[in-house]
Amino acid sequence: MNGKDSRTEASAEVRGDVDGWRRAIRDDTVSNYHLEMGRAILSEGSLDAALNHFRQAAAIRPTLAEAHHRIVEVLHRLERRAEAETAHRAALAQNPGYSSDALVAIALHRLEQGTPDETLAVLDEAEKAGVEAGLVAALRGLVHLSRGGAAAAKDCLQRVGALGGNWGARIAGEFGVAAHAAFLRGDSRSACFGFETACRLSSDFGSSRDFWTFGKAHENEGRLAQALDCYHRAVQAALAGSWSSVDVQVRIYMGTAYQTLGQWKPALDALDRAVQIEPGGAWTYFHRGILLQHWDRLEEAVTAYDRGLAISRNDPWGLQYKAVALDALGLPDAALNCRRQAEAQMHGSPWVAYYRAAALVHAERFAEADTVLGTVEGSRLAEQGPVNAGLFHLLRGSALRAAGHPEAALPHLETAARQLPGNPWPDVNRVAALSALGRAEEAATAGAALVARLPDLGWAWLVHGRALATCGRIEEAGNAFRMGLDRAPGIGWADLYLGGMGPANRERRAAAP
């Protein structure tokens, strides 16, 4: 080879390198352009257009990890889960450094598909690939929570702090979804844990509906102070979003929670505010009527029911409560007419019996409530799925216990405890029933377990105190009563002995505004 040929080859090699550099620079520039355009369009909410730009960026530069991540993010937001997982796997094959985000998103996809075992297998793979340990632990906790295992989830999350970047909000949202699912299946304990975890993972978590449900879960667990805090946060979120319908519902729950605590003025204030916000809401008037009826202000209660029934004509719920108030006023014919209207509206539904019994329990007519629940219609309610069955058995067991039939109440309360996991009221009534039967040691043991599980529930301490007193452990009983009254200052402990029918209850109502 002569010198001229050598110089020609060298020149060609340089030109090839320059051309390669030019292509690389062009590809880098164009791919970044598509990536930036995709980001901007995504921020405006145009998912399909953004997806097109991200795909062009990934096609030009297959190793551009963010483009692949954005493709999968948009596909998830478009609910195209199968395409999202396929895109993840393709990205993994072309870019091993992308494995962290890919494996996390695949795990979330598996969980959404309802395959927790497969989800855990993907998380094992993620752990080996070096994915952030806290993120993996949070996801393992999410899997356990979706299975109803709040204790196992808590173990996984003990060492997880706030998650950085976008993952904190994303995983917090997933915990919120799992918490709502737990609440709907009647597992308030798991729901509380899910919401608490979501709030810890992201300070931005929580809509008005999230805090509304979080409050109801706390209330079901007997933690009324925490429930009220959530309701107030829900109201603030609703006001910020101008969601008056949510605001009204939350204030109704606030009213009932304050009523349970014996704080009558705040209860009435909450319901009055709900009426001001939505004067056309029938249920707001019904709840106000229940509160007035509980204070023996029967004429005012009937007026409230009539206001609600003028808006929602022949509402069976309002009619049943109005019937009980009319009975108490000595107007049996008018009460019978209300009940007939309610039954006609519900066309033989077993909920007729439930509504009537609930109204009778509110009026402290426990024996009549049990008689209603013992009818054919009431028994049919126990066949309508575990949650409805749990509500039936809880209401009947509570009515039987308060009516002085603790032995008959126990089977219903034990069934309710199985069908309403996380709901404290079957266990509260069971401890009271065991004490009434003279099974003192058994009641004290059950009471100790109850207060260990729910230390913030005033009623748990009060029934535990009664059990200890029945055992003759007077000093311990006094301490338990003090703990209960500290947590629930509006509840007289004598009510537990008198089944809600004694003078202490009447005096407490007489002190109401």
Side-chain angles (χ1 to χ4, degrees), residues 283 286-287 290 305 309 314-322 342 346 355 358-359:
W283 280 60
F286 295 154
H287 280 284
I290 291 170
Y305 294 138
L309 290 167
N314 297 324
D315 184 289
W317 199 75
L319 287 166
Q320 294 285 14
Y321 276 90
K322 182 183 175 183
M346 300 195 74
Y355 285 158

Side-chain angles (χ1 to χ4, degrees), residues 43-57:
S43 69
E44 295 173 354
S46 303
L47 300 182
D48 289 312
L51 179 62
N52 182 52
H53 280 286
F54 293 140
R55 280 180 165 160
Q56 290 187 62

